[in-house]
Amino acid sequence: KRLVELCLDAGSALARPALENLCRINARYTGRFKDWKRVARHDLDNKLFFDKDLPRVSRGRCAWPMEVVYGDVHPIDIFIPAPDGKGQLRLRLIAWMDDCTRKMWVTVAVMGKGNGIRQTDIADALFRLVCDPTAGVARTLYLDHGSEYSVLGEAMMEIPGALSAFSELGGVVNAQPYNGPAKGLIEHTFSTLEQGYFKHLPGWIGGDRTNKKTHAVGKPVKGFQGTLEEFICAVLDMVGKRPA
């Protein structure tokens, strides 16, 4: 339309219908520039460029248990009213996943309004992982750049002999910022838990409490009716039933 107006302003003798037919931009015309979409993504949306255009490194499964353990934190989208009746509790799943066996160890962190995951929550979860007879000290921990992971060294010092073993084996590897595929295994598992398991618990809001098939739109979400201890037990039970 802009090109038609420019032609008319320049004194074109063609009628508007004829100009519109000539100036119409079709798929054949724009298709010549499809390769430049990558340039546009690179310049305008670096996150999309990283996800869509950069090449990936394909990793095989580790040969030995606890050779590489992924660590991440995932929000649990289930509504649990706060004890004082104002608002809701914030729930986070602190998870460790062994690349070899695909076994996952989790801790449910419960926070009030305005609070986030703390370094002590991560340290406690790591302590449980190392002391679990089915786990132990990982050769390498693969984590993101979250500040909550900065106390892992101090946490390991609390466990006799663990810090020296951890240092000798491999230590911590941090994924590049905004690099979701680096921990694709555990991210995919979070999605499986949300869509295959957690959504069947009462109070599941799935990140958007205004768009639920289980509750009336515009009305308060029916939260989880059991105690907090019952909820944590239900989450741990579902994680244990998750297929490897």
Side-chain angles (χ1 to χ4, degrees):
K1 292 182 180 180
R2 177 59 178 160
L3 187 55
V4 170
E5 296 298 332
L6 290 173
C7 291
L8 292 174
D9 293 342
S12 174
L14 294 175
R16 178 179 288 271
L19 281 175
E20 290 179 347
N21 186 53
L22 288 173
C23 297
R24 182 177 294 112
I25 298 177
N26 53 34
R28 181 179 179 182
Y29 180 85
T30 59
R32 299 182 299 162
F33 308 101
K34 63 180 181 181
D35 291 337
W36 288 91
K37 289 182 178 180
R38 295 182 180 181
V39 178
R41 286 193 292 265
H42 177 273
D43 294 342
L44 304 176
D45 193 336
N46 192 253
K47 177 65 171 62
L48 184 60
F49 174 77
F50 185 92
D51 293 339
K52 193 175 182 67
D53 299 303
L54 287 185
R56 295 283 179 261
V57 176
S58 178
R59 296 189 180 98
R61 183 178 292 197
C62 291
W64 298 97
M66 303 303 288
E67 187 173 353
V68 173
V69 173
Y70 300 97
D72 207 348
V73 178
H74 177 71
I76 303 177
D77 292 327
I78 295 178
F79 185 90
I80 296 184
D84 59 4
K86 299 179 180 179
Q88 69 178 96
L89 296 176
R90 301 179 65 194
L91 309 168
R92 296 292 184 270
L93 194 69
I94 306 174
W96 312 97
M97 171 171 276
D98 178 25
D99 183 78
C100 175
T101 63
R102 304 298 200 251
K103 180 175 175 60
M104 177 181 276
W105 297 265
V106 299
T107 301
V108 179
V110 182
M111 300 157 289
K113 182 179 180 180
N115 296 326
I117 199 75
R118 301 171 301 177
Q119 295 178 341
T120 52
D121 296 324
I122 301 295
D124 290 343
L126 178 65
F127 189 93
R128 296 188 185 98
L129 173 74
V130 174
C131 295
D132 191 313
T134 65
V137 180
R139 177 179 293 273
T140 300
L141 285 176
Y142 203 107
L143 312 169
D144 61 21
H145 273 76
S147 60
E148 62 269 17
Y149 291 107
S150 62
V151 296
L152 290 184
E154 298 177 14
M156 297 297 285
M157 293 178 64
E158 301 292 330
I159 308 171
L163 184 61
S164 58
F166 188 61
S167 301
E168 293 173 1
L169 291 174
V172 175
V173 175
N174 292 107
Q176 293 295 321
Y178 308 108
N179 187 0
K183 303 190 304 298
L185 175 64
I186 195 169
E187 295 286 354
H188 175 73
T189 302
F190 287 149
S191 177
T192 300
L193 286 171
E194 282 287 349
Q195 299 299 322
Y197 296 87
F198 293 165
K199 71 181 300 182
H200 300 294
L201 288 174
W204 185 76
I205 55 180
D208 181 5
R209 66 190 62 187
T210 65
N211 182 24
K212 297 294 157 298
K213 296 181 180 179
T214 55
H215 303 298
V217 175
K219 295 184 178 180
V221 176
K222 297 178 182 179
F224 186 81
Q225 300 301 311
T227 64
L228 186 58
E229 290 74 17
E230 290 173 340
F231 168 77
I232 293 176
C233 288
V235 170
L236 296 180
D237 183 53
M238 287 181 169
V239 172
K241 291 179 178 179
R242 172 195 56 84

